[in-house]
C-alpha cells in the first residue's frame, strides 16, 4: 500500500492523517465510559482475506447500485492541505489515491462488496487480465466506449504512453513495480526520455498489436500484475493530453468527475464528467453532481464542524484525515456523532526511519528504538481508536502476521526502555548533547510526533534539531537520497495483500534512488538475496522467506524502528449516504457516496 499521508493499502503507499497538536486529553479512551468499539487485530486479520480476480462479467458496468442512493447535490470535502499529486504517475500517497478514484481509471481496479471482500476487475480493460507462458505474458483487451473528458477514445497507444512516461524523469514519486518487472531496477536506462522523443519500449517488452490490445512480456512470472495495475499510480494518461510536469496540476479525466476549478493550496472543485459511461465501469458511481474540496481546514476544525453537524457540514466528509484525537472522547461518547463514523484497521505501520548514510552505528539505532515511547505515540494519535503498539514492521492486515514477534520488547515496555537505550549509547561512545536532525511533517500528527520524539531522545542525551517539512511534499523531500536528515517518521502500508509490497519497495537495496521508497537507504546483501528468493517462490514457501527477511531486517540491520500499527476513525455529515469503511483504501469508500436529501 503504500506511504501514509501514507502510501495506499492495495494501491498505497505513504498518506498522512493528522491530529491536533494538543497532547493533553489526547483520548485515553479509558477515561470515558463509552463502550470500546475500537478495531482489533482480529478485525485486521479479516481484512487480509485473499483477493479474487474477476472475469468479463464481473468487469462489466454499471456498478451495482447502492441501496437508497439518490442523484444530485454536492459533497463538501474537508482537507488540511493540498493533494500531494494529481498526475496518476506520481500518485503513491493515500490522499491522492482517494482522489484518483473520482478522476482516473486504469487497466484494472478493485471492486469491493459490502463485507469488504475485494475482486480485481477490468477497469478500462474487459477483465482482470489473461496470463500465458506460465505468468510471464499478460494480455489486456480494452473496453468499447472509454473516453477522456474531451471525448477522445482511449486506445492501446494511450496505455503504451502511460507506461513509457513512467520511465522519464517527469515521473519521480510513484510506484515502480511495473517498470522494474518490465525492465529491471535500472529501468530508466531502457527509455530515459520516456515516449517524449519518439522512442518506445520494444514489442518484446510491451506490445500493442492493435488499438484494443495491450500485451506485457516479463522475464519472470508476475502473478500479482492485476493488483499492481489497480494502483492509482498506473492510471491512464491520454497521449494527446500529456503536458509533462504541468499534468500534475491539470490532469485529464476518465472517471465520473473532472476538475472545473483548482486554486493551489486552497480549493478544488469537481463536476460531472459527461464523457464517462457507467456501462464501462463496474466500480464507480456518479450520484452527486460534484465535490467541493477545501484544503485549508485543520483536523481539529474538521472534527468540530462535523460533530456540530450544521449547515454545509451535513453534506461533508473527512477525506483522509481522521477524528482529532483531542476530541475523540467527545465523538465516542456522543451516540449521534459516533453513529456517523467509519472505522477500520489500516495497513500502515508507523516507524522511525534511520538514514543509514548518516546513522551508521547500529547500537545508536537500537538505542533510539528502545527509547521511543510507542504508547505515547499511540495516545497522541487517538489511543486505542488510533492504533496499537507495534512489535515489527509488518502490519496485522498482512497474511501470516505474527502478533508475538517483538524483538525490542515494545509490548512489554510500551513506553520505552531509556535505561537500555543509555547503556547502548555508552557502549557506542556517544557523548551527551550529540546533535540529531529529525525531519517531520507540519501536519498536526507530525507535530505531535515531533514533540514526543524530541523529548524522548533528549532524555537519553541527544540534542534533537527538529526540521519542519510541508505536509504535501514530505515524502518527496525525505525520498531524496542526499537528504540532510538523520531520522524521520514514516508510515507504510502494503500495496496489496503480500509482504512483497512492504519489504521490496522499502528495504530492497536496489531501490535506493530519488523518489523511491527505501527511505533508510538499506543495502544488505542477505536481505536482498532473500527478497529475490521469495519473489520466485510459491506463496506458501515465500511466506517463510518473507518472515526470515523481516526478522533479518529488524534484528541484523534495524533501518527503521517499529512504533505503532495504525487504525482509522473518520466522521461524516448526517446527510451523507453510502458511507462505509473501505478495505481497499483504508478510508471512507469514496465510490458509493450520495446525499440522502440532495
Amino acid at each position: 500500500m503504500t506511504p501514509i499521508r501514507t502510501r495506499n493499502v492495495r494501491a498505497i503507499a505513504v498518506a498522512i492523517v493528522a491530529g491536533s497538536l494538543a497532547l493533553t486529553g489526547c483520548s485515553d479512551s479509558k477515561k470515558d465510559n463509552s463502550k470500546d468499539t475500537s478495531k482489533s487485530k482480529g478485525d485486521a486479520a479479516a481484512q487480509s482475506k485473499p483477493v479474487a480476480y474477476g472475469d468479463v462479467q464481473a468487469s462489466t458496468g454499471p456498478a451495482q447500485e447502492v441501496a437508497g442512493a439518490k442523484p444530485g447535490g454536492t459533497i463538501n470535502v474537508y482537507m488540511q492541505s493540498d493533494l500531494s499529486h494529481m498526475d496518476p504517475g506520481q500518485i503513491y500517497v493515500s490522499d491522492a489515491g482517494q482522489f484518483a478514484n473520482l478522476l482516473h481509471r486504469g487497466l484494472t481496479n478493485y471492486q469491493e462488496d459490502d463485507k469488504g471482500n475485494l475482486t480485481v476487475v477490468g477497469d478500462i480493460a474487459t477483465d482482470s487480465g489473461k496470463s500465458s507462458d506460465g505468468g510471464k505474458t499478460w494480455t489486456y483487451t480494452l473496453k468499447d466506449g472509454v473516453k477522456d473528458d474531451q471525448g477522445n477514445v482511449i486506445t492501446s497507444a494511450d496505455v503504451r504512453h502511460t507506461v513509457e512516461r513512467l520511465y522519464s524523469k517527469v515521473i519521480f514519486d510513484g510506484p515502480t513495480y511495473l517498470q522494474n518487472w518490465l525492465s529491471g531496477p535500472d529501468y530508466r536506462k531502457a527509455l530515459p526520455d520516456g515516449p517524449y522523443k519518439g522512442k518506445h519500449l520494444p514489442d518484446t517488452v510491451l506490445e500493442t498489436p492493435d488499438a484494443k490490445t495491450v500485451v506485457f512480456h516479463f522475464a519472470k512470472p508476475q502473478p500479482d500484475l492485476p493488483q499492481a495495475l489497480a494502483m492509482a499510480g498506473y492510471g491512464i494518461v491520454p497521449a494527446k493530453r500529456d503536458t509533462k510536469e504541468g499534468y500534475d496540476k491539470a490532469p485529464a479525466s476518465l472517471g465520473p468527475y473532472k476538475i472545473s476549478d483548482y486554486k493551489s493550496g486552497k480549493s478544488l472543485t469537481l463536476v460531472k464528467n459527461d464523457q464517462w459511461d457507467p456501462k464501462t465501469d463496474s466500480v464507480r458511481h456518479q450520484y452527486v453532481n460534484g465535490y467541493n474540496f477545501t484544503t485549508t481546514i485543520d483536523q481539529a476544525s474538521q472534527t468540530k464542524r462535523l460533530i456540530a453537524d450544521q449547515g454545509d457540514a451535513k453534506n461533508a466528509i473527512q477525506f483522509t484525515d481522521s477524528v482529532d484525537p483531542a476530541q475523540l472522547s467527545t465523538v465516542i461518547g456522543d451516540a449521534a456523532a459516533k453513529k456517523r463514523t467509519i472505522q477500520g484497521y489500516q495497513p500502515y505501520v508507523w516507524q522511525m526511519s534511520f538514514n543509514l548514510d548518516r546513522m551508521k552505528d547500529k547500537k545508536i539505532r537500537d538505542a533510539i528504538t528502545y527509547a521511543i515511547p510507542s504508547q505515547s505515540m499511540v495516545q497522541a494519535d487517538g489511543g486505542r481508536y488510533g492504533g496499537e503498539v507495534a512489535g515489527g514492521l509488518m502490519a496485522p492486515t498482512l497474511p501470516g502476521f505474527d502478533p508475538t514477534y517483538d524483538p525490542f520488547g515494545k509490548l512489554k515496555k510500551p513506553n520505552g526502555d531509556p535505561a537500555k537505550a543509555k547503556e547502548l549509547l555508552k557502549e557506542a561512545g556517544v557523548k551527551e548533547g550529540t546533535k540529531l536532525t529529525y525531519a517531520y511533517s507540519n501536519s498536526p500528527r507530525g507535530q505531535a510526533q515531533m514533540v514526543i520524539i524530541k523529548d524522548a531522545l533528549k532524555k537519553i542525551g541527544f540534542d534533537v534539531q527538529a526540521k519542519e517539512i510541508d505536509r504535501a511534499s514530505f515524502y518527496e523531500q525525505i525520498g531524496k537520497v542526499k537528504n540532510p536528515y538523520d531520522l524521520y517518521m514514516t508510515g507504510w502500508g502494503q500495496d496489496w495483500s503480500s509482504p512483497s509490497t512492504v519489504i521490496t519497495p522499502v528495504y530492497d537495496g536496489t531501490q535506493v534512488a530519488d523518489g523511491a521508497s527505501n527511505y533508510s537507504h538499506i543495502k544488505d546483501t542477505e536481505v536482498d538475496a532473500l527478497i529475490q528468493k521469495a519473489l520466485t517462490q510459491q506463496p506458501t514457501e515465500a511466506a517463510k522467506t518473507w518472515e526470515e527477511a523481516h526478522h533479518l531486517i529488524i534484528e541484523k540491520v534495524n533501518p527503521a524502528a517499529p512504533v505503532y500499527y495504525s487504525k482509522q476513525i473518520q466522521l461524516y455529515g448526517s446527510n451523507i449516504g453510502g458511507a462505509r469503511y473501505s478495505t481497499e483504501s483504508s478510508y471512507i469508500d469514496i465510490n458509493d457516496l450520495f446525499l440522502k436529501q440532495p
Side-chain angles (χ1 to χ4, degrees), residues 119-151:
T119 301
V120 178
V121 295
D123 193 352
I124 71 163
T126 56
D127 57 24
S128 58
K130 291 182 172 64
S131 68
S132 56
D133 189 26
K136 294 180 182 179
T137 300
W138 283 85
T139 302
Y140 288 88
T141 302
L142 305 189
K143 292 176 179 175
D144 295 325
V146 178
K147 303 175 183 179
D148 70 13
D149 55 285
Q150 292 182 353

Side-chain angles (χ1 to χ4, degrees), residues 17-32 80 298-304 307 318 321-333 375-387 443-449 452 564 567-571:
V17 279
S20 168
L21 182 58
L23 298 183
T24 55
C26 269
S27 172
D28 178 352
S29 301
K30 295 173 185 176
K31 294 178 182 177
D32 66 60
Q80 55 186 338
D298 63 43
Q299 188 181 28
S301 297
Q302 292 178 24
T303 304
K304 188 175 181 179
I307 290 173
Q318 290 188 292
D321 294 307
S322 56
V323 170
D324 172 26
Q327 299 177 67
L328 186 53
S329 59
T330 301
V331 173
I332 298 304
Q375 187 58 46
S376 295
M377 301 285 275
V378 172
Q379 289 306 123
D381 203 12
R384 63 181 182 239
Y385 286 88
S443 67
R445 172 191 272 171
Q447 291 167 334
Q449 291 175 340
I452 295 169
Y564 66 101
K567 300 179 188 178
Q568 179 61 288
I569 178 168
Q570 292 181 294
L571 262 174

Side-chain angles (χ1 to χ4, degrees), residues 8-81:
N8 204 347
V9 59
R10 289 180 169 82
I12 154 154
V14 189
I16 281 176
V17 279
S20 168
L21 182 58
L23 298 183
T24 55
C26 269
S27 172
D28 178 352
S29 301
K30 295 173 185 176
K31 294 178 182 177
D32 66 60
N33 296 318
S34 56
K35 182 181 178 183
D36 180 6
T37 56
S38 61
K39 296 299 178 179
S40 68
K41 291 188 176 74
D43 296 303
Q47 291 172 207
S48 67
K49 289 177 287 189
V51 173
Y53 286 179
D55 58 13
V56 171
Q57 184 176 354
S59 306
T60 301
Q64 184 175 349
E65 291 295 327
V66 177
K70 300 175 182 179
T74 299
I75 290 178
N76 300 313
V77 179
Y78 293 162
M79 295 182 66
Q80 55 186 338
S81 64

Side-chain angles (χ1 to χ4, degrees), residues 163-177:
V163 174
E164 292 178 342
R165 73 191 294 269
L166 302 175
Y167 285 66
S168 74
K169 291 182 180 179
V170 168
I171 304 302
F172 55 83
D173 207 20
T176 60
Y177 294 106

Side-chain angles (χ1 to χ4, degrees), residues 417-478:
D417 190 344
K420 177 70 173 177
K422 289 180 179 178
E423 180 184 320
L424 287 168
L425 292 176
K426 185 177 180 180
E427 291 176 12
V430 177
K431 296 179 180 178
E432 183 84 17
T434 294
K435 286 182 169 56
L436 283 179
T437 304
Y438 173 66
Y440 69 98
S441 160
N442 68 351
S443 67
R445 172 191 272 171
Q447 291 167 334
Q449 291 175 340
M450 180 273 290
V451 172
I452 295 169
I453 292 299
K454 192 171 183 178
D455 181 64
L457 298 190
K458 181 181 179 181
K459 288 178 179 176
I460 60 171
F462 286 109
D463 178 5
V464 177
Q465 310 295 303
K467 303 294 183 181
E468 182 179 283
I469 299 176
D470 182 70
R471 180 183 191 236
S473 64
F474 178 74
Y475 281 98
E476 179 183 336
Q477 297 304 315
I478 65 167

